[in-house]
Amino acid sequence: MSLNDSLPHRQIWLIGGTQESAALAQAIAAHHLPCLITVTTASARRLYPTSPHLTVWVGRLQAATLLDFMQEQQIGLILDASHPFAVEISELAIATATQLDLPYLRYERPTVEEQPDQPTFSSFQALLSTGALWGQRVLLTVGYRPLAWFKPWQEQATLFARILPSVTALEAAIAAGFTPDRLIALRPPISADLERALWQQWQISVVVTKASGTPGGEAVKQQVAAAAGVQLIRIARPNITYPQQTSDIAIAVEFCLRHLLPAIAQRDAIDS
């Protein structure tokens, strides 16, 4: 099956929710290209500029209904700027692009260089299979979803967590055994001064973070950890094979122009 078998579709599907996706949306709007941006929370809608060329859709996409969604929204190509750890939506987008014979490009934010004294583990399970957290005062800056894996460690270490200010995140943290005095709800970016003050207030000895790049605050945490003598532990990005990817916004925009403008011209010729 191919969407290209029917009338030419003309809209970009920008998988958003990140700072980079907001920059991409602004660049796309500047070229007057129609773009549908999908995000999972209402608060993420505020990331994007107001433009007649941009539409923000809030919700979680499911495999069972994605093909109908693609047809209803007239998607002509996929630009994936989701979070580096948002494995499910990226894999779903890649599979759908392959099935529908649509152009797909991954915008992957650059990585932050690993420091020799700041170890990286391949997964949360790999970290928890070691004694690296035993007896430590640990700050988890990993989002709310992995917190359940740390529940058995609540009695082996003193755990704190920084989460997004949402009911879902708070409920997940409490279910994982975190008490209110060991939680703080903040939306990134977090300044170095605020990081330092929080770590000092809680007397943190170990910080666990995802290797999510500078927009995720990784570089700031490296800087503060080195200055404060705090052990920083990183969780490596998931290993996903993208059909093609870039870390250059200009290349991503050129990809959209190259694939979408001919379809728009063909559609306008048919309409006329």
Side-chain angles (χ1 to χ4, degrees), residues 99-163:
Q99 182 177 358
L100 299 180
D101 191 26
L102 290 179
Y104 169 97
L105 179 66
R106 167 66 177 173
Y107 179 87
E108 182 79 337
R109 64 174 60 159
T111 58
V112 174
E113 184 178 356
E114 181 180 353
Q115 301 301 311
D117 59 342
Q118 297 173 348
T120 299
F121 287 85
S122 60
S123 65
F124 289 102
Q125 293 87 340
L127 167 61
L128 294 175
S129 68
T130 72
L133 306 184
W134 187 274
Q136 301 291 333
R137 295 178 67 84
V138 182
L139 173 60
L140 303 174
T141 60
V142 296
Y144 73 86
R145 289 183 179 87
L147 295 183
W149 292 329
F150 291 85
K151 188 172 184 178
W153 278 81
Q154 290 287 2
E155 296 182 1
Q156 302 174 44
T158 305
L159 301 182
F160 302 82
R162 186 165 72 226
I163 57 176

Short mmCIF file of all heavy atoms in Angstrom, two decimals, residues 99-163:
data_model
loop_
_atom_site.label_atom_id
_atom_site.label_comp_id
_atom_site.label_asym_id
_atom_site.label_seq_id
_atom_site.Cartn_x
_atom_site.Cartn_y
_atom_site.Cartn_z
N GLN A 99 5.89 0.98 5.21
CA GLN A 99 4.66 0.38 4.70
C GLN A 99 3.98 1.26 3.65
O GLN A 99 3.45 0.77 2.65
CB GLN A 99 3.69 0.11 5.86
CG GLN A 99 2.38 -0.55 5.45
CD GLN A 99 1.50 -0.84 6.64
OE1 GLN A 99 1.87 -0.59 7.79
NE2 GLN A 99 0.32 -1.38 6.38
N LEU A 100 4.02 2.57 3.86
CA LEU A 100 3.33 3.50 2.97
C LEU A 100 4.25 4.11 1.91
O LEU A 100 3.81 4.94 1.13
CB LEU A 100 2.69 4.62 3.79
CG LEU A 100 1.64 4.18 4.82
CD1 LEU A 100 1.11 5.38 5.56
CD2 LEU A 100 0.50 3.43 4.14
N ASP A 101 5.51 3.70 1.93
CA ASP A 101 6.49 4.23 0.96
C ASP A 101 6.57 5.75 1.04
O ASP A 101 6.51 6.46 0.03
CB ASP A 101 6.12 3.78 -0.46
CG ASP A 101 7.24 4.06 -1.46
OD1 ASP A 101 8.40 4.13 -1.03
OD2 ASP A 101 6.94 4.25 -2.66
N LEU A 102 6.74 6.24 2.26
CA LEU A 102 6.86 7.68 2.49
C LEU A 102 8.30 8.04 2.89
O LEU A 102 8.97 7.26 3.57
CB LEU A 102 5.92 8.12 3.62
CG LEU A 102 4.43 8.10 3.34
CD1 LEU A 102 3.67 8.54 4.58
CD2 LEU A 102 4.08 8.99 2.16
N PRO A 103 8.77 9.22 2.50
CA PRO A 103 10.08 9.67 2.96
C PRO A 103 10.09 9.84 4.48
O PRO A 103 9.13 10.37 5.06
CB PRO A 103 10.27 11.02 2.25
CG PRO A 103 9.29 11.01 1.13
CD PRO A 103 8.13 10.19 1.59
N TYR A 104 11.19 9.40 5.10
CA TYR A 104 11.35 9.52 6.56
C TYR A 104 12.75 10.05 6.83
O TYR A 104 13.74 9.60 6.24
CB TYR A 104 11.18 8.15 7.22
CG TYR A 104 11.61 8.12 8.69
CD1 TYR A 104 10.68 8.26 9.71
CD2 TYR A 104 12.95 7.95 9.04
CE1 TYR A 104 11.08 8.24 11.05
CE2 TYR A 104 13.36 7.93 10.36
CZ TYR A 104 12.42 8.08 11.37
OH TYR A 104 12.82 8.06 12.69
N LEU A 105 12.83 11.02 7.73
CA LEU A 105 14.12 11.53 8.17
C LEU A 105 14.09 11.69 9.69
O LEU A 105 13.16 12.28 10.24
CB LEU A 105 14.44 12.88 7.52
CG LEU A 105 15.78 13.53 7.94
CD1 LEU A 105 16.96 12.69 7.47
CD2 LEU A 105 15.88 14.96 7.41
N ARG A 106 15.12 11.20 10.33
CA ARG A 106 15.28 11.37 11.77
C ARG A 106 16.16 12.59 12.04
O ARG A 106 17.27 12.71 11.50
CB ARG A 106 15.94 10.13 12.38
CG ARG A 106 16.45 10.30 13.80
CD ARG A 106 15.33 10.52 14.78
NE ARG A 106 15.84 10.61 16.16
CZ ARG A 106 15.10 10.93 17.21
NH1 ARG A 106 13.81 11.19 17.05
NH2 ARG A 106 15.62 10.99 18.41
N TYR A 107 15.64 13.53 12.84
CA TYR A 107 16.50 14.60 13.35
C TYR A 107 17.00 14.14 14.71
O TYR A 107 16.23 14.04 15.66
CB TYR A 107 15.76 15.93 13.47
CG TYR A 107 16.69 17.00 14.01
CD1 TYR A 107 17.48 17.74 13.16
CD2 TYR A 107 16.82 17.21 15.38
CE1 TYR A 107 18.38 18.68 13.64
CE2 TYR A 107 17.71 18.14 15.87
CZ TYR A 107 18.49 18.87 15.00
OH TYR A 107 19.39 19.78 15.49
N GLU A 108 18.28 13.85 14.80
CA GLU A 108 18.88 13.34 16.03
C GLU A 108 19.75 14.42 16.65
O GLU A 108 20.72 14.88 16.03
CB GLU A 108 19.72 12.10 15.73
CG GLU A 108 20.37 11.46 16.95
CD GLU A 108 19.41 10.60 17.76
OE1 GLU A 108 18.18 10.82 17.67
OE2 GLU A 108 19.88 9.71 18.48
N ARG A 109 19.41 14.83 17.85
CA ARG A 109 20.22 15.86 18.50
C ARG A 109 21.63 15.33 18.75
O ARG A 109 21.82 14.15 19.06
CB ARG A 109 19.58 16.31 19.81
CG ARG A 109 19.49 15.23 20.86
CD ARG A 109 18.98 15.71 22.20
NE ARG A 109 17.66 16.29 22.17
CZ ARG A 109 16.87 16.39 23.26
NH1 ARG A 109 17.31 15.92 24.43
NH2 ARG A 109 15.69 16.93 23.18
N PRO A 110 22.64 16.19 18.64
CA PRO A 110 24.03 15.75 18.85
C PRO A 110 24.23 15.19 20.25
O PRO A 110 23.57 15.59 21.21
CB PRO A 110 24.84 17.03 18.64
CG PRO A 110 23.96 17.91 17.81
CD PRO A 110 22.55 17.60 18.23
N THR A 111 25.15 14.25 20.36
CA THR A 111 25.48 13.67 21.66
C THR A 111 26.47 14.58 22.39
O THR A 111 27.14 15.42 21.79
CB THR A 111 26.10 12.28 21.50
OG1 THR A 111 27.27 12.39 20.68
CG2 THR A 111 25.11 11.33 20.84
N VAL A 112 26.55 14.39 23.70
CA VAL A 112 27.53 15.08 24.52
C VAL A 112 28.68 14.12 24.78
O VAL A 112 28.46 12.95 25.11
CB VAL A 112 26.90 15.53 25.86
CG1 VAL A 112 27.96 16.12 26.78
CG2 VAL A 112 25.79 16.55 25.60
N GLU A 113 29.89 14.59 24.61
CA GLU A 113 31.06 13.72 24.77
C GLU A 113 31.13 13.14 26.18
O GLU A 113 31.00 13.86 27.18
CB GLU A 113 32.35 14.50 24.47
CG GLU A 113 33.61 13.65 24.53
CD GLU A 113 34.85 14.44 24.17
OE1 GLU A 113 34.70 15.63 23.81
OE2 GLU A 113 35.96 13.88 24.26
N GLU A 114 31.33 11.85 26.25
CA GLU A 114 31.42 11.17 27.54
C GLU A 114 32.73 11.52 28.23
O GLU A 114 33.79 11.57 27.61
CB GLU A 114 31.34 9.65 27.33
CG GLU A 114 31.40 8.85 28.62
CD GLU A 114 31.30 7.35 28.37
OE1 GLU A 114 31.06 6.97 27.21
OE2 GLU A 114 31.47 6.58 29.33
N GLN A 115 32.66 11.76 29.55
CA GLN A 115 33.85 12.05 30.34
C GLN A 115 34.36 10.76 30.99
O GLN A 115 33.57 9.91 31.40
CB GLN A 115 33.53 13.08 31.42
CG GLN A 115 33.01 14.41 30.87
CD GLN A 115 34.00 15.07 29.93
OE1 GLN A 115 35.18 15.21 30.23
NE2 GLN A 115 33.52 15.45 28.75
N PRO A 116 35.68 10.61 31.11
CA PRO A 116 36.25 9.35 31.61
C PRO A 116 35.75 8.95 33.00
O PRO A 116 35.62 7.77 33.31
CB PRO A 116 37.76 9.62 31.63
CG PRO A 116 37.96 10.73 30.65
CD PRO A 116 36.71 11.57 30.72
N ASP A 117 35.48 9.94 33.85
CA ASP A 117 35.07 9.64 35.23
C ASP A 117 33.54 9.64 35.39
O ASP A 117 33.04 9.64 36.51
CB ASP A 117 35.69 10.65 36.20
CG ASP A 117 35.29 12.09 35.87
OD1 ASP A 117 34.83 12.33 34.72
OD2 ASP A 117 35.43 12.97 36.74
N GLN A 118 32.82 9.66 34.28
CA GLN A 118 31.36 9.67 34.32
C GLN A 118 30.86 8.50 33.48
O GLN A 118 30.65 8.61 32.28
CB GLN A 118 30.82 11.01 33.80
CG GLN A 118 31.26 12.19 34.66
CD GLN A 118 30.89 13.54 34.06
OE1 GLN A 118 30.50 13.65 32.90
NE2 GLN A 118 31.02 14.59 34.86
N PRO A 119 30.69 7.33 34.12
CA PRO A 119 30.41 6.10 33.37
C PRO A 119 29.06 6.11 32.67
O PRO A 119 28.12 6.78 33.10
CB PRO A 119 30.46 5.02 34.45
CG PRO A 119 30.11 5.74 35.71
CD PRO A 119 30.72 7.11 35.57
N THR A 120 28.99 5.36 31.57
CA THR A 120 27.74 5.18 30.83
C THR A 120 27.35 3.71 30.86
O THR A 120 28.18 2.83 30.56
CB THR A 120 27.90 5.64 29.37
OG1 THR A 120 28.24 7.03 29.35
CG2 THR A 120 26.62 5.43 28.59
N PHE A 121 26.10 3.45 31.20
CA PHE A 121 25.57 2.09 31.19
C PHE A 121 24.65 1.94 29.98
O PHE A 121 23.99 2.89 29.56
CB PHE A 121 24.81 1.80 32.47
CG PHE A 121 25.70 1.61 33.67
CD1 PHE A 121 26.15 2.71 34.40
CD2 PHE A 121 26.10 0.35 34.07
CE1 PHE A 121 26.98 2.56 35.50
CE2 PHE A 121 26.94 0.17 35.18
CZ PHE A 121 27.37 1.28 35.89
N SER A 122 24.58 0.73 29.45
CA SER A 122 23.80 0.48 28.25
C SER A 122 22.30 0.56 28.49
O SER A 122 21.53 0.79 27.55
CB SER A 122 24.14 -0.89 27.67
OG SER A 122 23.85 -1.91 28.61
N SER A 123 21.88 0.39 29.75
CA SER A 123 20.45 0.41 30.08
C SER A 123 20.29 0.60 31.57
O SER A 123 21.26 0.50 32.35
CB SER A 123 19.79 -0.91 29.67
OG SER A 123 20.31 -1.98 30.43
N PHE A 124 19.05 0.87 31.99
CA PHE A 124 18.78 0.96 33.43
C PHE A 124 19.01 -0.39 34.10
O PHE A 124 19.52 -0.45 35.22
CB PHE A 124 17.33 1.43 33.65
CG PHE A 124 17.11 2.85 33.29
CD1 PHE A 124 16.49 3.20 32.10
CD2 PHE A 124 17.52 3.87 34.13
CE1 PHE A 124 16.28 4.53 31.77
CE2 PHE A 124 17.32 5.21 33.82
CZ PHE A 124 16.70 5.53 32.63
N GLN A 125 18.63 -1.46 33.42
CA GLN A 125 18.82 -2.79 33.99
C GLN A 125 20.31 -3.08 34.21
O GLN A 125 20.67 -3.69 35.23
CB GLN A 125 18.21 -3.85 33.07
CG GLN A 125 16.70 -3.78 32.96
CD GLN A 125 16.20 -2.81 31.89
OE1 GLN A 125 16.94 -1.92 31.46
NE2 GLN A 125 14.96 -2.99 31.47
N ALA A 126 21.15 -2.64 33.27
CA ALA A 126 22.59 -2.85 33.44
C ALA A 126 23.11 -2.09 34.65
O ALA A 126 23.93 -2.62 35.42
CB ALA A 126 23.33 -2.40 32.17
N LEU A 127 22.63 -0.88 34.86
CA LEU A 127 23.05 -0.11 36.04
C LEU A 127 22.60 -0.80 37.32
O LEU A 127 23.39 -0.96 38.27
CB LEU A 127 22.44 1.30 35.97
CG LEU A 127 22.53 2.13 37.26
CD1 LEU A 127 23.97 2.36 37.67
CD2 LEU A 127 21.79 3.46 37.08
N LEU A 128 21.35 -1.22 37.36
CA LEU A 128 20.80 -1.78 38.60
C LEU A 128 21.32 -3.17 38.91
O LEU A 128 21.09 -3.69 40.01
CB LEU A 128 19.27 -1.79 38.51
CG LEU A 128 18.64 -0.39 38.46
CD1 LEU A 128 17.14 -0.47 38.25
CD2 LEU A 128 18.96 0.39 39.72
N SER A 129 22.01 -3.78 37.95
CA SER A 129 22.62 -5.08 38.21
C SER A 129 23.97 -4.94 38.90
O SER A 129 24.59 -5.95 39.27
CB SER A 129 22.80 -5.86 36.90
OG SER A 129 23.78 -5.24 36.07
N THR A 130 24.42 -3.70 39.11
CA THR A 130 25.68 -3.43 39.80
C THR A 130 25.38 -2.86 41.19
O THR A 130 24.24 -2.65 41.57
CB THR A 130 26.52 -2.42 39.02
OG1 THR A 130 25.92 -1.11 39.15
CG2 THR A 130 26.61 -2.79 37.55
N GLY A 131 26.42 -2.59 41.93
CA GLY A 131 26.27 -1.98 43.24
C GLY A 131 26.56 -0.49 43.22
O GLY A 131 26.86 0.10 44.28
N ALA A 132 26.47 0.13 42.05
CA ALA A 132 26.89 1.53 41.90
C ALA A 132 26.07 2.49 42.76
O ALA A 132 26.55 3.57 43.12
CB ALA A 132 26.79 1.94 40.43
N LEU A 133 24.84 2.14 43.10
CA LEU A 133 23.98 3.04 43.87
C LEU A 133 23.92 2.67 45.35
O LEU A 133 23.29 3.40 46.13
CB LEU A 133 22.55 3.02 43.29
CG LEU A 133 22.41 3.30 41.79
CD1 LEU A 133 20.94 3.34 41.39
CD2 LEU A 133 23.12 4.59 41.40
N TRP A 134 24.51 1.60 45.72
CA TRP A 134 24.38 1.08 47.09
C TRP A 134 24.85 2.12 48.12
O TRP A 134 25.96 2.62 48.08
CB TRP A 134 25.20 -0.19 47.25
CG TRP A 134 24.97 -0.87 48.58
CD1 TRP A 134 25.61 -0.62 49.74
CD2 TRP A 134 24.00 -1.87 48.87
NE1 TRP A 134 25.13 -1.39 50.75
CE2 TRP A 134 24.13 -2.18 50.24
CE3 TRP A 134 23.04 -2.53 48.11
CZ2 TRP A 134 23.32 -3.14 50.87
CZ3 TRP A 134 22.25 -3.47 48.73
CH2 TRP A 134 22.39 -3.77 50.08
N GLY A 135 23.95 2.48 49.06
CA GLY A 135 24.28 3.39 50.14
C GLY A 135 24.45 4.84 49.74
O GLY A 135 24.82 5.68 50.57
N GLN A 136 24.16 5.18 48.48
CA GLN A 136 24.36 6.53 47.99
C GLN A 136 23.09 7.37 48.12
O GLN A 136 21.99 6.85 48.28
CB GLN A 136 24.78 6.50 46.51
CG GLN A 136 26.05 5.73 46.23
CD GLN A 136 27.29 6.42 46.78
OE1 GLN A 136 27.33 7.64 46.93
NE2 GLN A 136 28.31 5.64 47.10
N ARG A 137 23.28 8.67 48.07
CA ARG A 137 22.16 9.61 47.97
C ARG A 137 22.03 9.96 46.48
O ARG A 137 22.86 10.70 45.95
CB ARG A 137 22.39 10.84 48.84
CG ARG A 137 22.42 10.51 50.34
CD ARG A 137 22.69 11.75 51.17
NE ARG A 137 21.60 12.71 51.13
CZ ARG A 137 20.52 12.66 51.91
NH1 ARG A 137 20.36 11.68 52.79
NH2 ARG A 137 19.59 13.60 51.82
N VAL A 138 21.02 9.41 45.84
CA VAL A 138 20.94 9.37 44.39
C VAL A 138 19.82 10.27 43.89
O VAL A 138 18.67 10.16 44.33
CB VAL A 138 20.69 7.93 43.89
CG1 VAL A 138 20.66 7.90 42.36
CG2 VAL A 138 21.75 6.98 44.44
N LEU A 139 20.15 11.15 42.94
CA LEU A 139 19.15 11.96 42.26
C LEU A 139 18.92 11.36 40.87
O LEU A 139 19.85 11.24 40.07
CB LEU A 139 19.60 13.40 42.13
CG LEU A 139 18.70 14.31 41.28
CD1 LEU A 139 17.28 14.40 41.87
CD2 LEU A 139 19.29 15.71 41.14
N LEU A 140 17.67 10.99 40.59
CA LEU A 140 17.29 10.44 39.29
C LEU A 140 16.69 11.55 38.44
O LEU A 140 15.65 12.12 38.81
CB LEU A 140 16.29 9.30 39.47
CG LEU A 140 16.75 8.14 40.36
CD1 LEU A 140 15.61 7.15 40.57
CD2 LEU A 140 17.96 7.44 39.75
N THR A 141 17.32 11.85 37.33
CA THR A 141 16.80 12.85 36.38
C THR A 141 16.56 12.13 35.06
O THR A 141 17.16 12.46 34.03
CB THR A 141 17.78 14.02 36.21
OG1 THR A 141 19.03 13.52 35.70
CG2 THR A 141 18.03 14.72 37.53
N VAL A 142 15.66 11.16 35.09
CA VAL A 142 15.49 10.23 33.97
C VAL A 142 14.05 10.18 33.46
O VAL A 142 13.72 9.33 32.63
CB VAL A 142 15.94 8.80 34.38
CG1 VAL A 142 17.42 8.78 34.69
CG2 VAL A 142 15.12 8.30 35.58
N GLY A 143 13.21 11.10 33.93
CA GLY A 143 11.80 11.01 33.57
C GLY A 143 11.06 10.08 34.52
O GLY A 143 11.67 9.40 35.34
N TYR A 144 9.76 10.03 34.37
CA TYR A 144 8.98 9.24 35.34
C TYR A 144 8.87 7.76 34.97
O TYR A 144 8.70 6.91 35.85
CB TYR A 144 7.59 9.84 35.52
CG TYR A 144 6.64 9.65 34.37
CD1 TYR A 144 5.87 8.49 34.25
CD2 TYR A 144 6.49 10.63 33.38
CE1 TYR A 144 4.99 8.33 33.19
CE2 TYR A 144 5.62 10.46 32.32
CZ TYR A 144 4.87 9.31 32.23
OH TYR A 144 4.01 9.13 31.18
N ARG A 145 8.96 7.42 33.69
CA ARG A 145 8.70 6.04 33.28
C ARG A 145 9.69 5.03 33.88
O ARG A 145 9.28 3.94 34.29
CB ARG A 145 8.69 5.92 31.75
CG ARG A 145 7.46 6.56 31.11
CD ARG A 145 7.44 6.36 29.59
NE ARG A 145 6.25 6.95 29.00
CZ ARG A 145 6.14 8.21 28.62
NH1 ARG A 145 7.18 9.03 28.79
NH2 ARG A 145 5.03 8.68 28.10
N PRO A 146 11.00 5.34 33.96
CA PRO A 146 11.93 4.34 34.52
C PRO A 146 11.88 4.23 36.04
O PRO A 146 12.52 3.33 36.60
CB PRO A 146 13.31 4.85 34.08
CG PRO A 146 13.05 5.87 33.02
CD PRO A 146 11.73 6.46 33.34
N LEU A 147 11.15 5.10 36.73
CA LEU A 147 11.22 5.11 38.19
C LEU A 147 10.79 3.80 38.82
O LEU A 147 11.29 3.41 39.88
CB LEU A 147 10.38 6.27 38.75
CG LEU A 147 10.85 7.69 38.40
CD1 LEU A 147 9.97 8.73 39.08
CD2 LEU A 147 12.32 7.89 38.78
N ALA A 148 9.86 3.09 38.20
CA ALA A 148 9.38 1.82 38.75
C ALA A 148 10.51 0.81 38.91
O ALA A 148 10.49 -0.02 39.83
CB ALA A 148 8.28 1.24 37.87
N TRP A 149 11.51 0.87 38.01
CA TRP A 149 12.64 -0.06 38.10
C TRP A 149 13.47 0.18 39.35
O TRP A 149 14.19 -0.71 39.80
CB TRP A 149 13.53 0.07 36.86
CG TRP A 149 12.86 -0.39 35.60
CD1 TRP A 149 11.92 -1.37 35.48
CD2 TRP A 149 13.08 0.11 34.28
NE1 TRP A 149 11.55 -1.52 34.16
CE2 TRP A 149 12.23 -0.62 33.40
CE3 TRP A 149 13.90 1.10 33.75
CZ2 TRP A 149 12.20 -0.39 32.03
CZ3 TRP A 149 13.86 1.33 32.38
CH2 TRP A 149 13.02 0.60 31.54
N PHE A 150 13.39 1.38 39.92
CA PHE A 150 14.19 1.72 41.09
C PHE A 150 13.46 1.42 42.40
O PHE A 150 14.04 1.59 43.47
CB PHE A 150 14.59 3.20 41.05
CG PHE A 150 15.58 3.52 39.97
CD1 PHE A 150 15.16 3.79 38.67
CD2 PHE A 150 16.94 3.53 40.23
CE1 PHE A 150 16.07 4.09 37.67
CE2 PHE A 150 17.86 3.82 39.24
CZ PHE A 150 17.44 4.09 37.96
N LYS A 151 12.21 1.00 42.32
CA LYS A 151 11.44 0.76 43.55
C LYS A 151 12.14 -0.21 44.50
O LYS A 151 12.19 0.03 45.72
CB LYS A 151 10.04 0.25 43.19
CG LYS A 151 9.12 0.15 44.40
CD LYS A 151 7.69 -0.17 43.97
CE LYS A 151 6.77 -0.17 45.19
NZ LYS A 151 5.36 -0.43 44.80
N PRO A 152 12.72 -1.34 44.01
CA PRO A 152 13.41 -2.25 44.93
C PRO A 152 14.63 -1.63 45.60
O PRO A 152 15.13 -2.17 46.59
CB PRO A 152 13.82 -3.43 44.03
CG PRO A 152 12.90 -3.36 42.85
CD PRO A 152 12.66 -1.89 42.64
N TRP A 153 15.11 -0.50 45.09
CA TRP A 153 16.30 0.14 45.64
C TRP A 153 15.97 1.19 46.71
O TRP A 153 16.87 1.81 47.25
CB TRP A 153 17.11 0.78 44.52
CG TRP A 153 17.98 -0.21 43.81
CD1 TRP A 153 17.61 -1.09 42.84
CD2 TRP A 153 19.37 -0.44 44.05
NE1 TRP A 153 18.68 -1.86 42.44
CE2 TRP A 153 19.77 -1.48 43.17
CE3 TRP A 153 20.30 0.11 44.91
CZ2 TRP A 153 21.08 -1.97 43.14
CZ3 TRP A 153 21.61 -0.36 44.87
CH2 TRP A 153 21.99 -1.39 44.00
N GLN A 154 14.71 1.38 46.99
CA GLN A 154 14.33 2.41 47.96
C GLN A 154 14.92 2.15 49.34
O GLN A 154 15.14 3.10 50.10
CB GLN A 154 12.80 2.51 48.05
CG GLN A 154 12.12 3.09 46.82
CD GLN A 154 12.32 4.59 46.67
OE1 GLN A 154 13.00 5.24 47.47
NE2 GLN A 154 11.74 5.16 45.62
N GLU A 155 15.20 0.90 49.66
CA GLU A 155 15.78 0.58 50.97
C GLU A 155 17.29 0.35 50.90
O GLU A 155 17.91 0.12 51.93
CB GLU A 155 15.09 -0.66 51.55
CG GLU A 155 13.61 -0.43 51.84
CD GLU A 155 12.95 -1.65 52.45
OE1 GLU A 155 13.66 -2.66 52.67
OE2 GLU A 155 11.73 -1.60 52.70
N GLN A 156 17.86 0.38 49.71
CA GLN A 156 19.29 0.16 49.56
C GLN A 156 20.06 1.45 49.29
O GLN A 156 21.28 1.48 49.38
CB GLN A 156 19.53 -0.83 48.40
CG GLN A 156 18.85 -2.17 48.61
CD GLN A 156 18.98 -3.07 47.40
OE1 GLN A 156 20.05 -3.18 46.82
NE2 GLN A 156 17.89 -3.72 47.01
N ALA A 157 19.33 2.49 48.94
CA ALA A 157 19.91 3.81 48.70
C ALA A 157 18.87 4.85 49.07
O ALA A 157 17.69 4.53 49.23
CB ALA A 157 20.33 3.95 47.24
N THR A 158 19.32 6.08 49.22
CA THR A 158 18.38 7.19 49.46
C THR A 158 18.12 7.85 48.12
O THR A 158 18.99 8.54 47.57
CB THR A 158 18.98 8.21 50.46
OG1 THR A 158 19.35 7.52 51.65
CG2 THR A 158 17.95 9.28 50.79
N LEU A 159 16.91 7.61 47.59
CA LEU A 159 16.60 8.03 46.23
C LEU A 159 15.76 9.30 46.19
O LEU A 159 14.79 9.44 46.95
CB LEU A 159 15.85 6.91 45.50
CG LEU A 159 16.55 5.57 45.38
CD1 LEU A 159 15.68 4.59 44.59
CD2 LEU A 159 17.92 5.71 44.73
N PHE A 160 16.13 10.20 45.30
CA PHE A 160 15.39 11.41 45.00
C PHE A 160 15.10 11.41 43.50
O PHE A 160 15.81 10.78 42.72
CB PHE A 160 16.19 12.66 45.38
CG PHE A 160 16.60 12.74 46.82
CD1 PHE A 160 17.73 12.06 47.28
CD2 PHE A 160 15.86 13.49 47.73
CE1 PHE A 160 18.11 12.13 48.61
CE2 PHE A 160 16.24 13.57 49.07
CZ PHE A 160 17.36 12.88 49.50
N ALA A 161 14.08 12.15 43.10
CA ALA A 161 13.77 12.21 41.67
C ALA A 161 13.30 13.59 41.28
O ALA A 161 12.56 14.25 42.03
CB ALA A 161 12.69 11.18 41.30
N ARG A 162 13.74 14.02 40.10
CA ARG A 162 13.21 15.23 39.50
C ARG A 162 12.33 14.81 38.34
O ARG A 162 12.76 14.06 37.46
CB ARG A 162 14.33 16.15 39.01
CG ARG A 162 13.78 17.49 38.51
CD ARG A 162 14.85 18.52 38.36
NE ARG A 162 15.72 18.26 37.23
CZ ARG A 162 17.05 18.34 37.29
NH1 ARG A 162 17.64 18.65 38.41
NH2 ARG A 162 17.78 18.10 36.21
N ILE A 163 11.10 15.28 38.34
CA ILE A 163 10.13 14.88 37.34
C ILE A 163 9.49 16.12 36.72
O ILE A 163 9.64 17.24 37.24
CB ILE A 163 9.03 13.99 37.95
CG1 ILE A 163 8.34 14.72 39.12
CG2 ILE A 163 9.60 12.65 38.42
CD1 ILE A 163 7.18 13.98 39.73
#
